[in-house]
Protein backbone atom coordinates (compact mmCIF):
# COMPACT_ATOMS: atom_id res chain seq x y z
CA UNK A 1 0.00 0.00 0.00
CA UNK A 2 1.49 3.35 -0.92
CA UNK A 3 -0.19 6.38 0.66
CA UNK A 4 0.62 9.98 -0.30
CA UNK A 5 3.75 11.23 1.46
CA UNK A 6 3.41 13.40 4.54
CA UNK A 7 3.03 17.07 3.44
CA UNK A 8 6.32 17.99 5.16
CA UNK A 9 8.36 15.21 3.55
CA UNK A 10 9.17 16.84 0.20
CA UNK A 11 9.88 20.38 1.48
CA UNK A 12 12.02 18.88 4.24
CA UNK A 13 14.04 16.80 1.79
CA UNK A 14 14.58 19.89 -0.35
CA UNK A 15 16.20 21.59 2.65
CA UNK A 16 13.41 24.02 3.53
CA UNK A 17 14.15 25.35 6.99
CA UNK A 18 10.57 26.14 7.93
CA UNK A 19 9.58 22.59 7.03
CA UNK A 20 12.43 21.28 9.16
CA UNK A 21 11.37 23.41 12.14
CA UNK A 22 7.76 22.27 11.72
CA UNK A 23 8.82 18.63 11.43
CA UNK A 24 10.80 18.87 14.67
CA UNK A 25 7.84 20.50 16.41
CA UNK A 26 5.63 17.66 15.17
CA UNK A 27 8.07 15.07 16.51
CA UNK A 28 8.15 16.84 19.89
CA UNK A 29 4.37 16.75 20.26
CA UNK A 30 2.96 14.24 22.72
CA UNK A 31 -0.50 14.14 21.10
CA UNK A 32 -1.06 10.60 19.81
CA UNK A 33 -2.18 11.72 16.31
CA UNK A 34 0.96 13.88 16.01
CA UNK A 35 3.14 11.02 17.19
CA UNK A 36 1.71 8.80 14.46
CA UNK A 37 2.24 11.52 11.82
CA UNK A 38 5.80 12.12 13.04
CA UNK A 39 6.62 8.41 12.75
CA UNK A 40 5.27 8.40 9.19
CA UNK A 41 7.37 11.42 8.31
CA UNK A 42 10.48 9.98 9.99
CA UNK A 43 10.18 6.68 8.18
CA UNK A 44 9.75 8.49 4.87
CA UNK A 45 12.89 10.59 5.31
CA UNK A 46 15.02 7.92 7.04
CA UNK A 47 16.66 6.71 3.79
CA UNK A 48 18.01 10.23 3.26
CA UNK A 49 19.40 10.58 6.81
CA UNK A 50 22.82 9.54 8.06
CA UNK A 51 25.08 11.62 5.83
CA UNK A 52 26.59 13.79 8.51
CA UNK A 53 29.15 13.85 11.26
CA UNK A 54 27.42 13.92 14.65
CA UNK A 55 29.46 15.69 17.30
CA UNK A 56 28.48 15.76 20.99
CA UNK A 57 29.84 18.61 23.05
CA UNK A 58 29.88 19.18 26.79
CA UNK A 59 31.51 21.21 29.56
CA UNK A 60 30.51 22.95 32.75
CA UNK A 61 28.46 26.15 32.49
CA UNK A 62 30.75 29.07 31.69
CA UNK A 63 33.46 26.96 30.00
CA UNK A 64 32.50 28.59 26.70
CA UNK A 65 30.26 26.05 24.93
CA UNK A 66 28.03 28.52 23.13
CA UNK A 67 30.96 30.75 22.19
CA UNK A 68 32.79 27.68 20.89
CA UNK A 69 29.83 26.33 18.93
CA UNK A 70 29.15 29.74 17.45
CA UNK A 71 32.80 30.25 16.38
CA UNK A 72 33.24 26.71 15.01
CA UNK A 73 29.78 26.70 13.44
CA UNK A 74 30.33 29.98 11.58
CA UNK A 75 33.69 28.72 10.28
CA UNK A 76 32.16 25.49 9.02
CA UNK A 77 29.11 27.20 7.52
CA UNK A 78 31.37 29.78 5.81
CA UNK A 79 33.30 26.87 4.33
CA UNK A 80 30.10 25.50 2.79
CA UNK A 81 28.96 23.02 5.43
CA UNK A 82 25.39 23.00 6.62
CA UNK A 83 25.49 23.05 10.39
CA UNK A 84 22.68 22.06 12.76
CA UNK A 85 22.96 22.78 16.48
CA UNK A 86 20.76 20.77 18.84
CA UNK A 87 20.78 20.53 22.60
CA UNK A 88 20.01 18.03 25.33
CA UNK A 89 19.18 19.83 28.52
CA UNK A 90 17.16 17.78 30.99
CA UNK A 91 17.08 20.77 33.38
CA UNK A 92 14.81 22.55 30.94
CA UNK A 93 12.16 20.13 32.22
CA UNK A 94 12.35 21.89 35.57
CA UNK A 95 12.76 25.47 34.45
CA UNK A 96 10.09 25.14 31.79
CA UNK A 97 12.36 26.86 29.29
CA UNK A 98 15.59 25.77 27.73
CA UNK A 99 18.91 27.30 28.72
CA UNK A 100 20.71 25.31 26.03
CA UNK A 101 20.79 26.10 22.36
CA UNK A 102 19.20 29.44 23.09
CA UNK A 103 19.46 31.44 19.90
CA UNK A 104 20.53 34.63 21.63
CA UNK A 105 23.67 32.81 22.78
CA UNK A 106 24.78 32.31 19.17
CA UNK A 107 23.82 35.53 17.37
CA UNK A 108 26.04 35.16 14.28
CA UNK A 109 25.28 31.49 13.72
CA UNK A 110 21.57 32.10 14.19
CA UNK A 111 21.41 34.40 11.17
CA UNK A 112 23.79 32.34 9.01
CA UNK A 113 21.94 30.81 6.09
CA UNK A 114 23.97 27.61 6.37
CA UNK A 115 22.98 27.01 9.99
CA UNK A 116 19.96 25.74 11.89
CA UNK A 117 19.71 26.10 15.67
CA UNK A 118 17.14 24.37 17.80
CA UNK A 119 16.88 24.58 21.61
CA UNK A 120 16.49 21.49 23.74
CA UNK A 121 13.04 19.96 23.82
CA UNK A 122 11.66 20.94 27.18
CA UNK A 123 9.66 18.90 29.60
CA UNK A 124 9.61 15.19 30.21
CA UNK A 125 12.29 12.79 31.31
CA UNK A 126 15.86 12.62 30.01
CA UNK A 127 14.69 9.60 28.00
CA UNK A 128 11.96 11.68 26.39
CA UNK A 129 14.33 14.55 25.60
CA UNK A 130 16.79 12.02 24.16
CA UNK A 131 14.18 10.45 21.90
CA UNK A 132 13.10 13.78 20.51
CA UNK A 133 16.71 14.89 19.98
CA UNK A 134 17.52 11.67 18.11
CA UNK A 135 14.56 12.29 15.87
CA UNK A 136 15.69 15.90 15.34
CA UNK A 137 19.11 14.56 14.25
CA UNK A 138 17.42 12.37 11.63
CA UNK A 139 15.25 15.25 10.40
CA UNK A 140 18.23 17.67 10.16
CA UNK A 141 20.26 15.11 8.22
CA UNK A 142 17.37 14.48 5.83
CA UNK A 143 17.19 18.24 5.28
CA UNK A 144 20.82 18.19 4.16
CA UNK A 145 22.71 19.25 7.30
CA UNK A 146 26.09 17.53 7.20
CA UNK A 147 27.46 18.70 10.58
CA UNK A 148 25.28 18.04 13.62
CA UNK A 149 26.47 19.54 16.90
CA UNK A 150 24.63 18.28 19.99
CA UNK A 151 25.32 20.37 23.07
CA UNK A 152 24.77 19.31 26.65
CA UNK A 153 25.79 20.58 30.03
CA UNK A 154 28.36 18.85 32.23
CA UNK A 155 25.99 17.37 34.76
CA UNK A 156 24.54 13.94 35.44
CA UNK A 157 23.42 11.44 32.86
CA UNK A 158 22.97 13.72 29.89
CA UNK A 159 26.55 13.14 28.67
CA UNK A 160 26.03 9.41 28.40
CA UNK A 161 22.79 10.07 26.56
CA UNK A 162 24.44 12.41 24.06
CA UNK A 163 27.45 10.10 23.61
CA UNK A 164 24.99 7.33 22.68
CA UNK A 165 23.57 9.38 19.80
CA UNK A 166 26.72 11.00 18.41
CA UNK A 167 29.79 9.77 16.52
CA UNK A 168 32.24 11.44 18.85
CA UNK A 169 32.26 13.46 22.00
CA UNK A 170 34.12 16.69 22.70
CA UNK A 171 34.79 17.81 26.28
CA UNK A 172 35.61 21.46 26.88
CA UNK A 173 37.68 22.27 29.96
CA UNK A 174 39.41 25.31 31.46
CA UNK A 175 43.12 26.15 31.81
CA UNK A 176 43.18 25.61 35.58
CA UNK A 177 43.54 21.88 35.01
CA UNK A 178 44.42 20.76 38.53
CA UNK A 179 41.12 21.95 39.94
CA UNK A 180 39.38 21.19 36.74
CA UNK A 181 40.41 17.54 36.54
CA UNK A 182 39.11 16.91 40.01
CA UNK A 183 35.82 18.51 39.08
CA UNK A 184 35.34 16.48 35.92
CA UNK A 185 33.69 13.21 36.69
CA UNK A 186 35.79 10.28 35.59
CA UNK A 187 32.81 8.95 33.67
CA UNK A 188 32.70 12.05 31.51
CA UNK A 189 36.44 11.85 30.79
CA UNK A 190 35.93 8.26 29.66
CA UNK A 191 33.37 9.41 27.10
CA UNK A 192 35.62 12.10 25.61
CA UNK A 193 37.23 11.51 22.22
CA UNK A 194 38.58 15.04 22.04
CA UNK A 195 39.36 17.24 25.06
CA UNK A 196 39.80 20.94 24.45
CA UNK A 197 41.32 23.35 26.95
CA UNK A 198 39.26 26.41 26.02
CA UNK A 199 40.06 30.02 26.96
CA UNK A 200 43.75 29.28 26.33
CA UNK A 201 44.13 33.02 25.60
CA UNK A 202 43.46 33.88 29.25
CA UNK A 203 46.49 32.00 30.57
CA UNK A 204 48.60 30.35 27.85
CA UNK A 205 51.08 28.70 30.24
CA UNK A 206 48.36 27.21 32.41
CA UNK A 207 46.64 26.01 29.26
CA UNK A 208 49.76 24.09 28.18
CA UNK A 209 49.99 22.51 31.64
CA UNK A 210 46.33 21.61 31.54
CA UNK A 211 46.75 20.04 28.13
CA UNK A 212 49.65 17.91 29.39
CA UNK A 213 47.67 16.75 32.41
CA UNK A 214 44.68 15.89 30.28
CA UNK A 215 46.89 13.95 27.88
CA UNK A 216 48.26 11.86 30.73
CA UNK A 217 44.79 11.23 32.13
CA UNK A 218 43.44 10.23 28.71
CA UNK A 219 46.37 7.87 28.09
CA UNK A 220 45.63 6.09 31.35
CA UNK A 221 41.94 5.76 30.50
CA UNK A 222 42.33 4.45 26.94
CA UNK A 223 42.73 0.73 26.19
CA UNK A 224 45.80 -0.02 24.05
CA UNK A 225 43.82 -1.57 21.22
CA UNK A 226 41.34 1.30 20.89
CA UNK A 227 40.87 2.44 17.25
CA UNK A 228 41.07 6.05 18.39
CA UNK A 229 43.33 7.49 21.07
CA UNK A 230 41.62 10.54 22.58
CA UNK A 231 43.50 13.79 22.07
CA UNK A 232 43.91 16.89 24.24
CA UNK A 233 44.05 20.24 22.45
CA UNK A 234 44.08 23.95 23.29
CA UNK A 235 41.81 26.58 21.80
CA UNK A 236 40.24 29.94 22.27
CA UNK A 237 36.64 30.22 21.21
CA UNK A 238 37.00 33.98 21.58
CA UNK A 239 39.99 34.51 19.25
CA UNK A 240 39.36 31.46 17.08
CA UNK A 241 42.84 30.10 17.72
CA UNK A 242 42.98 26.31 17.74
CA UNK A 243 39.53 25.79 16.23
CA UNK A 244 40.96 24.46 12.98
CA UNK A 245 42.96 21.97 15.04
CA UNK A 246 39.79 20.79 16.75
CA UNK A 247 38.05 20.27 13.43
CA UNK A 248 41.09 18.44 12.04
CA UNK A 249 40.84 16.09 15.00
CA UNK A 250 37.13 15.51 14.28
CA UNK A 251 38.03 14.57 10.70
CA UNK A 252 40.87 12.35 11.87
CA UNK A 253 38.43 10.59 14.18
CA UNK A 254 35.99 10.06 11.33
CA UNK A 255 38.75 8.49 9.27
CA UNK A 256 39.97 6.25 12.10
CA UNK A 257 36.68 4.85 13.37
CA UNK A 258 34.13 2.73 11.49
CA UNK A 259 31.15 5.01 12.03
CA UNK A 260 28.73 2.71 10.25
CA UNK A 261 29.40 -0.05 12.76
CA UNK A 262 29.30 2.39 15.66
CA UNK A 263 25.93 3.79 14.55
CA UNK A 264 24.50 0.30 14.02
CA UNK A 265 25.46 -0.54 17.60
CA UNK A 266 23.92 2.69 18.88
CA UNK A 267 20.68 2.07 16.99
CA UNK A 268 20.43 -1.47 18.34
CA UNK A 269 21.01 -0.24 21.90
CA UNK A 270 18.42 2.45 21.40
CA UNK A 271 15.92 -0.17 20.25
CA UNK A 272 16.65 -2.25 23.35
CA UNK A 273 16.11 0.78 25.55
CA UNK A 274 12.77 1.63 23.97
CA UNK A 275 11.75 -2.01 24.20
CA UNK A 276 12.57 -2.09 27.92
CA UNK A 277 10.52 1.06 28.46
CA UNK A 278 7.58 -0.24 26.43
CA UNK A 279 7.68 -3.61 28.20
CA UNK A 280 7.73 -1.87 31.57
CA UNK A 281 4.75 0.32 30.63
CA UNK A 282 2.82 -2.67 29.36
CA UNK A 283 3.58 -4.57 32.54
CA UNK A 284 2.53 -1.64 34.74
CA UNK A 285 -0.75 -1.19 32.95
CA UNK A 286 -1.62 -4.87 33.34
CA UNK A 287 -0.59 -5.36 36.93
CA UNK A 288 -2.57 -4.97 40.16
CA UNK A 289 -0.98 -1.97 41.94
CA UNK A 290 -2.24 -3.08 45.36
CA UNK A 291 -0.62 -6.48 44.91
CA UNK A 292 2.70 -4.82 44.01
CA UNK A 293 2.51 -2.64 47.14
CA UNK A 294 1.70 -5.65 49.33
CA UNK A 295 4.58 -7.69 47.92
CA UNK A 296 6.98 -4.77 48.26
CA UNK A 297 5.94 -4.45 51.92
CA UNK A 298 6.47 -8.19 52.42
CA UNK A 299 9.98 -7.94 50.94
CA UNK A 300 10.80 -4.84 53.01
CA UNK A 301 9.65 -6.60 56.19
CA UNK A 302 11.65 -9.74 55.39
CA UNK A 303 8.57 -11.98 54.96
CA UNK A 304 9.57 -12.76 51.36
CA UNK A 305 12.82 -12.61 49.46
CA UNK A 306 12.90 -10.06 46.64
CA UNK A 307 13.14 -12.91 44.12
CA UNK A 308 10.04 -14.54 45.61
CA UNK A 309 8.19 -11.24 45.46
CA UNK A 310 8.96 -10.75 41.78
CA UNK A 311 8.11 -14.37 40.96
CA UNK A 312 4.78 -13.93 42.71
CA UNK A 313 3.94 -11.13 40.30
CA UNK A 314 5.25 -12.69 37.12
CA UNK A 315 4.21 -16.29 37.72
CA UNK A 316 1.26 -15.64 40.02
CA UNK A 317 2.77 -17.61 42.93
CA UNK A 318 5.68 -17.51 45.37
CA UNK A 319 8.38 -20.18 45.37
CA UNK A 320 7.28 -21.12 48.86
CA UNK A 321 3.69 -21.82 47.69
P1 LIG B 1 28.73 28.25 28.27
O1 LIG B 1 27.96 28.50 29.51
O2 LIG B 1 29.60 27.04 28.41
O3 LIG B 1 27.88 28.20 27.03
O4 LIG B 1 29.77 29.48 28.12
P2 LIG B 1 29.68 30.80 27.21
O5 LIG B 1 29.97 30.46 25.79
O6 LIG B 1 28.42 31.50 27.51
O7 LIG B 1 30.94 31.61 27.75
C1 LIG B 1 31.02 32.11 29.07
C2 LIG B 1 31.90 33.34 29.08
O8 LIG B 1 33.23 33.00 28.70
C3 LIG B 1 31.44 34.40 28.08
O9 LIG B 1 31.63 35.67 28.68
C4 LIG B 1 32.39 34.22 26.90
O10 LIG B 1 32.62 35.41 26.18
C5 LIG B 1 33.65 33.77 27.60
N1 LIG B 1 34.50 32.94 26.74
C6 LIG B 1 34.15 31.86 26.04
N2 LIG B 1 35.19 31.33 25.39
C7 LIG B 1 36.26 32.12 25.66
C8 LIG B 1 37.65 32.09 25.29
O11 LIG B 1 38.12 31.21 24.55
N3 LIG B 1 38.44 33.07 25.81
C9 LIG B 1 37.97 34.02 26.63
N4 LIG B 1 38.82 34.94 27.09
N5 LIG B 1 36.67 34.07 27.02
C10 LIG B 1 35.82 33.14 26.52
Amino acid sequence: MSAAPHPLTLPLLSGNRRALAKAITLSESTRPEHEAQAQTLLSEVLPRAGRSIRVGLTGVPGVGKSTFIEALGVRLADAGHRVAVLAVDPSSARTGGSIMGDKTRMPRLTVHEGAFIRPSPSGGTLGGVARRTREAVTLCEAAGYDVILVETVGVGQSETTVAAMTDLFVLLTLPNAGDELQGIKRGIMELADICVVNKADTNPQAAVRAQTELRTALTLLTPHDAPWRPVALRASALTGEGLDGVWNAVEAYRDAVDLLVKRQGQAAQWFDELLREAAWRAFQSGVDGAQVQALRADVAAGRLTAVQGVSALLDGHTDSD
Side-chain angles (χ1 to χ4, degrees), residues 60-67 105 151 198-199 201-202 235-238:
V60 294
V63 72
K65 290 181 297 302
S66 34
T67 313
R105 294 162 73 228
E151 177 188 11
N198 189 39
K199 302 196 186 184
D201 58 298
T202 57
S236 166
L238 204 64

Side-chain angles (χ1 to χ4, degrees), residues 112-249:
H112 201 298
E113 64 178 37
F116 177 85
I117 301 180
R118 181 84 181 187
S120 176
S122 62
T125 58
L126 176 58
V129 171
R131 195 199 87 188
R132 287 174 278 163
T133 307
R134 277 174 187 271
E135 291 176 347
V137 169
T138 301
L139 294 168
C140 288
E141 288 178 347
Y145 289 84
D146 65 321
V147 176
I148 314 280
L149 304 176
V150 186
E151 177 188 11
T152 193
V153 74
V155 288
Q157 276 293 303
S158 57
E159 276 70 27
T160 316
T161 301
V162 171
M165 65 172 80
T166 50
D167 299 325
L168 77 161
F169 203 61
V170 177
L171 171 66
L172 294 190
T173 67
L174 293 167
N176 51 333
D179 318 337
E180 181 69 6
L181 272 186
Q182 286 166 19
I184 300 171
K185 293 187 198 80
R186 187 191 150 100
I188 293 180
M189 279 283 285
E190 281 173 349
L191 296 174
D193 300 296
I194 299 175
C195 285
V196 182
V197 182
N198 189 39
K199 302 196 186 184
D201 58 298
T202 57
N203 189 342
Q205 284 183 338
V208 171
R209 280 198 302 276
Q211 182 185 18
T212 310
E213 288 186 32
L214 276 170
R215 245 181 214 151
T216 309
L218 289 169
T219 307
L220 293 174
L221 285 173
T222 312
H224 286 294
D225 54 355
W228 172 257
R229 307 202 63 79
V231 293
L233 306 169
R234 276 172 290 142
S236 166
L238 204 64
T239 67
E241 207 169 331
L243 292 182
D244 287 342
V246 174
W247 192 250
N248 289 342

